[in-house]
Amino acid sequence: MSTTLATRPANGTDCAPVLRERGQREVFCGLTGIVWLHRKMQDAFFLVVGSRTCAHLLQSAAGVMIFAEPRFATAIIEERDLAGMADCNEELDRVVDRLLARRPEIKTLFLVGSCPSEVIKLDLAKASQRLAAKHAPDVRILNYSGSGIETTFTEGEDACLASLVPEMPASDAADPKELLIVGSLPDIVEDQFLRTFEELGIDRVGCLPARRADDLPAVGPNTRYLLAQPFLGDTAQALEDRGAVRLDALFPFGAEGTTSWLKAAADEFGVDEMHFNSVVAPGRERAKRALAHHKERLEGRRIFFMPDSQLEVPLARFLATELGMNPIEVGTPYLHKTHLEQELALLPAETRISEGQDVDKQLDRVREAQPNLTVCGLGLANPLEAEGLSTKWAIELVFSPIHGFDQAGDLAELFARPLRRRDVLRV
Amino acid sequence: MQLAVWTYEGPPHVGAMRVATGMENVHYVLHAPQGDTYADLLFTMIERRDQRPPVTYTTFQARDLGSDTATLFQAAARDAYARFEPQAMLVGASCTAELIQDDPAGLAEAMGLPIPVVPLELPSYQRKENWGASETFYQLVRQLADQSVTPSAKEGRRPAANLLGPTALGFRHRDDVLEIERLLEKLGIDVNIVAPMGATPADIAQIGAADFNILLYPEIGDEAARWLERTFKQPVVRTVPIGVGATRDFIAEVAEIADVDPAPAMAEDGSRMPWWSRSIDSTYLTGKRVFIFGDATHAVAAARVAHEELGFKVCGLGCYNREFAREVRAAAKLYDVEPLITDDHLAVEEAIAEAQPELVLGTQMERHIAKRLGVPCAVISAPVHVQDFPARHSPQMGFEGANVLFDSWVHPLVMGLEEHLLTMFRDDFEFSDEAGASHLGPGHAAPPAASNDEAPAATGEAAAIAWAEDAERELKKIPFFVRGKARRNTELFASEQGRATIDLETLYDAKAHYAR
């Protein structure tokens, strides 16, 4: 509904304006992150305190009901809970008691705030304190908000990880330097990175989130952290409040992004240049070989990103610099300029960056631009395909392993496949 | 607060979306935060619609609360009207907006849009999806129906009916409507309008031109049908034509109300189901225990088909929508089972495990439960899944619908001849119980001995009864898919007879006792 232009604060060489829009947003809320977070932290349970809509969202976003009893659920607020707050808290305690009695293997319980719980000002911080006192030391009880009035899609993970930071044990400035990888990655990718750091000679490496939520790494002034995901603004702030220092790099997508990301750590930890090159070269070469398969199909193609996961800017950089694609517009729900500074500088100058969304206006721009590929949410993909435009579901980029050298080819494949499909179909 | 892992129904505004999306030239302005837009993907992905649902979400954020959410609503409504130019607009709130009490109805009225605006009050903390669809359809009909429109003189024209209830995202609504239209054509009856699916607001205005209404989906259309009955004196056909018997009853009811000859439709062209069911290869279906759960209408209809037309034994019957619990209770009495009225899928899972059925007819939720229990299953009701929108014509209603029911319920079962072969080969060294039944596909190994299916009944005194070694060995010779039942029956028999140990004698006494 409202559109404003502001200066794009890249590194000074590029001052193309950022298009800021407000209006209908076609994005998930932060609750959706539970779908992958509960798979990542195998001893944690996520209890959304919300409405039937929240439960329905999780069920629809999870797509299929595959788990007998997944490690998430919704405490659905009902009419009588709205009548009095005291009752509401009592009800919540009852639900949590019942849940923990049934699932004794749960070590960390996240109470997740939603739009309704925020609006009725149900204080989940207080509730988690109250419940923690009751269930300690068996269960740690934390809270964060995944509400749509405050968080967009991946910001739910940011809020969740930020809630873990105060729980991390403290390390000391005098302790040896430690590396922390921040952002949930599929286990296979995390293991690849851990192997590479080991080969580089960086042996004190932690991950946030840890696979077991009660297995948190320490943090302190000796911590150097690398963001594995571009949507972790609050988590980064919380880490810095505890003295940790961010290593600035490209995000680890593609051969170049991954090299830059590893290099930032190598430099900080004093890894010899020759050694770095010898460790990184094989993976980097493999990535380049894998990308070469897709370059022919993608080079020169025009791509339009609708805002979704905040992965848009680094992915557009990867597609532009390593595959020769031409990003027309890169939409993101929120533009974290500091974390993306290096990324933004590498985007072609004519690329339009947009922040926020007015979906109908943005769709008008898609139709006008007629891109070869539009990256968008599931609600928009089929309607655009029906108009003759090729699309890539953005959510697949969040659910698939795409980071690192050995996934670079898979990442390119995700963009190439819709175009290849269009070429092979004769119906 | 209710602890929910999976839900059978969405919130009521999703029901309103199903009505709006099914119709043409309607737009729904929904006061809602970002994130509620997830509902769009139900339509574009599950139903594979090629257009976005006609819904504008106001997308308010935390910082808007207490300041200008009302302005935001009006701006969204104004933009939506300008862009989409609908014939009518629905306005309402989702669960969060309901709490901030902006009064979309009043705000929209104050805007003076030049089209009918239908305000929806859908209490999100009390009601659910089906109710929301029903209320939305009722409000639309009440506000848009032109009360001066009545049927023309009967002479020289065919009778005309409205088909009420089909929506977007309905279980086989698309195909059912086609099937019923064909039946009506054979009877020489015109369709005035189908609504909500496919109707425009202008069509709804003409709803009074029909002589009577046919209520296909009571969950969605009953409220509107009753209002039309009162207001336009249109009689309502309430038989839901699922199954051969119900289709015949439906034709008879329609023919009587429309005063036409039922014979042309009764001729049953293409109805293979009765003969398929009588064919001797179907003998093995006799008395198969079937557990049925779904929305009330589909569950009750399925129970009749299972009992009367396939010769199954209904061993469980229930529904998730309390609004129609009465119908399910009445049907449960017919089949002498305890009705299960719940929207807690864990309770349904327990009931299914307890009943030890040989076939489950349910929703996607029961499909997953049945998969875990290693029991065959067919889906008969919403909530829907992408697989419930097949490319081929696949109705549930009418004679062709009955054919579809036969195929889709019988194919998941181990077939009669296959049962004999399994018995013949059970001692063959290459035959392994653990391989499971081929028709269930890979990943459906027979449940290991410790699973639910075979574990001794854990209830009451039965648990205390011991199995003699020879009886246990004999039990293992029974094919795995009936072994659980044999064990349970034997234990029940032994406890009734007061026998402390089950030996070979007891096993065969029990077999004789339960012989059917």
Side-chain angles (χ1 to χ4, degrees), chain A residues 295-326:
Chain A
K295 191 157 183 181
E296 195 186 343
R297 193 173 298 273
L298 294 175
E299 193 164 31
R301 299 299 189 100
R302 299 159 68 249
I303 188 166
F304 195 115
F305 281 89
M306 306 289 277
D308 195 66
S309 60
Q310 291 189 48
L311 289 166
E312 294 82 10
V313 171
L315 291 180
R317 177 269 303 163
F318 158 71
L319 293 170
T321 60
E322 300 191 37
L323 291 159
M325 289 192 86
N326 181 5

Side-chain angles (χ1 to χ4, degrees), chain A residues 278-414:
Chain A
S278 73
V279 168
V280 165
R284 188 182 158 99
E285 284 315 307
R286 274 200 306 277
K288 286 189 169 170
R289 272 205 307 280
L291 292 177
H293 293 305
H294 302 289
K295 191 157 183 181
E296 195 186 343
R297 193 173 298 273
L298 294 175
E299 193 164 31
R301 299 299 189 100
R302 299 159 68 249
I303 188 166
F304 195 115
F305 281 89
M306 306 289 277
D308 195 66
S309 60
Q310 291 189 48
L311 289 166
E312 294 82 10
V313 171
L315 291 180
R317 177 269 303 163
F318 158 71
L319 293 170
T321 60
E322 300 191 37
L323 291 159
M325 289 192 86
N326 181 5
I328 307 167
E329 175 166 334
V330 179
T332 177
Y334 177 73
L335 189 65
H336 200 298
K337 294 153 216 148
T338 320
H339 292 172
L340 293 175
E341 193 175 327
Q342 292 196 37
E343 299 280 355
L344 289 167
L346 289 175
L347 281 180
E350 64 277 13
T351 301
R352 184 194 303 122
I353 308 283
S354 62
E355 185 183 23
Q357 187 173 35
D358 183 329
V359 70
D360 288 312
K361 285 186 189 168
Q362 198 166 28
L363 286 171
D364 289 343
R365 294 201 295 276
V366 170
R367 292 184 185 109
E368 200 191 323
Q370 291 289 309
N372 300 105
L373 192 63
T374 304
V375 184
C376 60
L378 293 173
L380 299 174
N382 262 343
L384 285 175
E385 291 279 348
E387 291 182 30
L389 293 158
S390 285
T391 60
K392 164 82 230 116
W393 320 346
I395 198 157
E396 214 175 343
L397 299 164
V398 180
F399 288 163
S400 317
I402 58 169
H403 295 69
F405 290 135
D406 290 309
Q407 282 65 240
D410 303 339
L411 178 55
E413 161 77 11
L414 289 177

Side-chain angles (χ1 to χ4, degrees), chain A residues 66-122:
Chain A
I66 34 180
F67 309 113
E69 257 198 276
R71 287 183 307 281
F72 62 79
T74 308
I76 297 180
I77 299 171
E78 293 170 302
E79 188 71 16
R80 62 173 186 274
D81 300 312
L82 297 173
M85 202 55 80
D87 306 334
C88 199
N89 280 312
E90 225 165 80
E91 276 290 290
L92 179 59
D93 293 6
R94 184 184 62 80
V95 166
V96 168
D97 290 350
R98 193 179 140 208
L99 178 71
L100 292 177
R102 225 180 51 203
R103 307 292 298 267
E105 76 282 12
I106 298 304
K107 294 289 173 244
T108 299
L109 173 68
F110 289 97
L111 300 179
V112 188
S114 66
C115 299
S117 79
E118 299 290 328
V119 169
I120 63 171
K121 299 198 165 34
L122 182 60

Side-chain angles (χ1 to χ4, degrees), chain B residues 39 63 77 204 206 349 362 389 394 414 431 469 481 483 490:
Chain B
R63 61 168 187 240
I204 302 267
Q206 297 301 310
E349 174 155 20
F389 292 90
S394 187
V414 178
F431 180 82
E469 208 177 304
F481 49 84
R483 201 180 297 147
T490 309

